[in-house]
Amino acid sequence: MLEIDAVGVRYGSTVVLDDLIWTVGTSGSPVTALLGPSGCGKSTLLRAVAGLEPLSAGHIRFDGADLAKVPAHRRDFGVVFQDGQLFGGRSVESNVAYGLRMRRWSRQEIRARVAEMLDLVRLPDLGRRSVDELSGGQAQRVALARALAPRPRLLLLDEPLAALDRLLRDQLATEIAEIVRAAATPTIVVTHDHTEAALMGDTISVMRSGEIVQNAAPEQLWSRPVDEWTARFLGVTSVIDADVSDAQAATPIGPLTLEAPDGRHRLGLRPESVRARRLSGPDAAVTGVVGMVADLPAGRRLRVVTEIGEIDAVTSERVVIGDRVGLSIVGERVAVIGS
């Protein structure tokens, strides 16, 4: 669908993207999340695709056609930015109808399409309301409806939920993914948030310093990060070595079954990859002293100081700083790095 071929973007002498290669759009994968830390070039790439940033090198093709000489307003791509950029002082209906009026749709067609879009984004009764009276979540739904109304070939979402609170972000991430799939519109969403990427993306592309380092379905990404940087960006807090033979891995925290080729591997551990419990005897492969306790909504998290380094873990037991605990590894929560 979309081919990024050796693309470069510069701001004066500053190189933002250099020789970037990326292909987006496969059957059964309508939504691609472009995930990476702030400042890595995600938004610049999206703006280049939209035609809002000139290329210093390379080509961008959509369905095989080079977009180099196609201005932004002729690419037929819908774009939603972080702040929505609605037209203040106008009604919801007027905002959603804007692109349709520019394309000279008839009044009857516009009324029908606006009503259809407001139903799709679950705001059917707010057409006459001024956009200045909307909540943040409602405003982003209207921006989405406006972008989808002209039936774009591609939808580009640039951090669309970054300004919202955590609860609303998770709710809207799910809803937006449902909306764009219902509209059958191929979509790229830029985000630095792992949860948003997982909730919205059928495929996640990880970006680092202007380079796409991994492209995979969410489950594959979490369990098989391509390298240690990617693993740590995706939530890994400790990395250990393991020797694998016949799908059995020997690790410093104990044995586990692991689907990986024979040989030495690097394993990434998130807090939920390790369980801690009070010691009742010398039956743990690794023991340590609790150095930090945090009671989080998902459970109690510990940082345990051990002879192999500090290990983050979870527990259901009441422990305090200074307690000695034993650690055990949770095989299904372990990431195999670079395999």
Side-chain angles (χ1 to χ4, degrees), residues 239-264:
V239 176
I240 61 175
D241 290 322
D243 291 309
V244 178
S245 178
D246 294 330
Q248 299 302 306
T251 84
I253 309 178
L256 74 154
T257 299
L258 194 67
E259 292 298 326
D262 288 357
R264 174 151 287 206

Side-chain angles (χ1 to χ4, degrees), residues 177-195:
E178 292 173 351
I179 288 166
V180 297
R181 290 186 182 101
T185 303
T187 299
I188 299 173
V189 55
V190 161
T191 181
H192 63 270
D193 186 281
H194 305 158
T195 301

Side-chain angles (χ1 to χ4, degrees), residues 29-34 144 155 157 159-161 169-181 187-191 193-204 218:
S29 182
V31 182
T32 298
L34 181 57
L144 182 62
L155 181 65
L157 307 179
E159 299 273 10
L161 309 177
R169 284 166 67 177
D170 289 354
Q171 176 185 341
L172 269 185
T174 302
E175 291 182 2
I176 288 175
E178 292 173 351
I179 288 166
V180 297
R181 290 186 182 101
T187 299
I188 299 173
V189 55
V190 161
T191 181
D193 186 281
H194 305 158
T195 301
E196 279 180 27
L199 288 173
M200 300 181 73
D202 302 292
T203 300
I204 300 176

Side-chain angles (χ1 to χ4, degrees), residues 271-272 274-278 290 293-302 304 313-320 323 325-328 330:
E272 61 270 22
V274 183
R275 288 200 182 100
R277 56 185 176 80
R278 291 178 182 274
V290 176
V293 179
D295 285 308
L296 304 177
R300 184 169 295 115
R301 181 178 297 179
L302 312 178
V304 183
V314 295
T315 187
S316 58
E317 298 182 3
R318 285 279 179 190
V319 296
V320 298
D323 282 351
V325 295
L327 303 180
S328 59
V330 183

Side-chain angles (χ1 to χ4, degrees), residues 40-328:
C40 72
K42 305 184 304 296
S43 293
T44 297
L45 175 56
L46 202 75
R47 290 175 61 84
V49 171
L52 302 174
E53 292 288 353
L55 303 185
S56 60
H59 301 274
I60 297 177
R61 301 182 183 89
F62 188 82
D63 283 348
D66 196 324
L67 301 179
K69 296 182 179 180
V70 182
H73 68 283
R74 296 290 186 189
R75 295 190 181 190
D76 200 17
F77 295 167
V79 184
V80 177
F81 294 105
Q82 179 177 329
D83 60 2
Q85 296 187 351
L86 297 178
F87 302 124
R90 299 188 185 183
S91 69
V92 168
E93 288 177 341
S94 178
N95 269 268
V96 177
Y98 175 77
L100 307 179
R101 291 195 300 269
M102 295 299 99
R103 288 164 175 78
R104 302 186 183 279
W105 286 34
S106 71
R107 290 184 179 180
Q108 183 177 357
E109 289 173 325
I110 289 174
R111 282 196 300 270
R113 184 61 173 169
V114 169
E116 180 184 355
M117 288 297 95
L118 292 182
D119 280 340
L120 183 65
V121 299
R122 302 164 192 175
L123 298 173
D125 301 321
L126 297 188
R128 301 295 179 88
R129 184 173 296 183
S130 169
V131 295
D132 301 322
E133 300 172 6
L134 300 177
S135 68
Q138 290 171 334
Q140 284 302 80
R141 284 195 184 95
V142 173
L144 182 62
R146 184 179 64 184
L148 287 170
R151 298 189 177 95
R153 299 189 296 167
L154 178 68
L155 181 65
L156 306 172
L157 307 179
D158 189 7
E159 299 273 10
L161 309 177
L164 305 178
D165 62 71
R166 176 82 264 171
L167 179 61
L168 186 55
R169 284 166 67 177
D170 289 354
Q171 176 185 341
L172 269 185
T174 302
E175 291 182 2
I176 288 175
E178 292 173 351
I179 288 166
V180 297
R181 290 186 182 101
T185 303
T187 299
I188 299 173
V189 55
V190 161
T191 181
H192 63 270
D193 186 281
H194 305 158
T195 301
E196 279 180 27
L199 288 173
M200 300 181 73
D202 302 292
T203 300
I204 300 176
S205 295
V206 178
M207 192 175 199
R208 175 180 66 207
S209 301
E211 177 186 5
I212 302 297
V213 296
Q214 188 167 4
N215 191 64
E219 181 181 3
Q220 177 73 12
L221 191 67
W222 311 140
S223 62
R224 294 292 191 272
V226 68
D227 56 26
E228 187 169 331
W229 181 92
T230 304
R232 291 190 181 277
F233 174 66
L234 296 174
V236 163
T237 56
S238 301
V239 176
I240 61 175
D241 290 322
D243 291 309
V244 178
S245 178
D246 294 330
Q248 299 302 306
T251 84
I253 309 178
L256 74 154
T257 299
L258 194 67
E259 292 298 326
D262 288 357
R264 174 151 287 206
H265 294 271
R266 299 280 276 168
L267 304 186
L269 307 180
R270 301 177 177 88
E272 61 270 22
S273 306
V274 183
R275 288 200 182 100
R277 56 185 176 80
R278 291 178 182 274
L279 284 176
S280 57
D283 55 352
V286 169
T287 65
V289 176
V290 176
M292 182 274 289
V293 179
D295 285 308
L296 304 177
R300 184 169 295 115
R301 181 178 297 179
L302 312 178
R303 178 156 295 159
V304 183
V305 181
T306 77
E307 61 183 10
I308 63 170
E310 293 186 350
I311 302 291
D312 288 344
V314 295
T315 187
S316 58
E317 298 182 3
R318 285 279 179 190
V319 296
V320 298
I321 293 174
D323 282 351
R324 180 165 286 277
V325 295
L327 303 180
S328 59

Side-chain angles (χ1 to χ4, degrees), residues 2-56:
L2 180 70
E3 297 172 84
I4 310 297
D5 182 11
V7 157
V9 174
R10 296 170 178 261
Y11 297 142
S13 61
T14 302
V15 178
V16 181
L17 303 177
D18 184 30
D19 201 28
L20 177 66
I21 296 174
W22 187 38
T23 302
V24 180
T26 57
S27 178
S29 182
V31 182
T32 298
L34 181 57
L35 174 67
S38 297
C40 72
K42 305 184 304 296
S43 293
T44 297
L45 175 56
L46 202 75
R47 290 175 61 84
V49 171
L52 302 174
E53 292 288 353
L55 303 185
S56 60

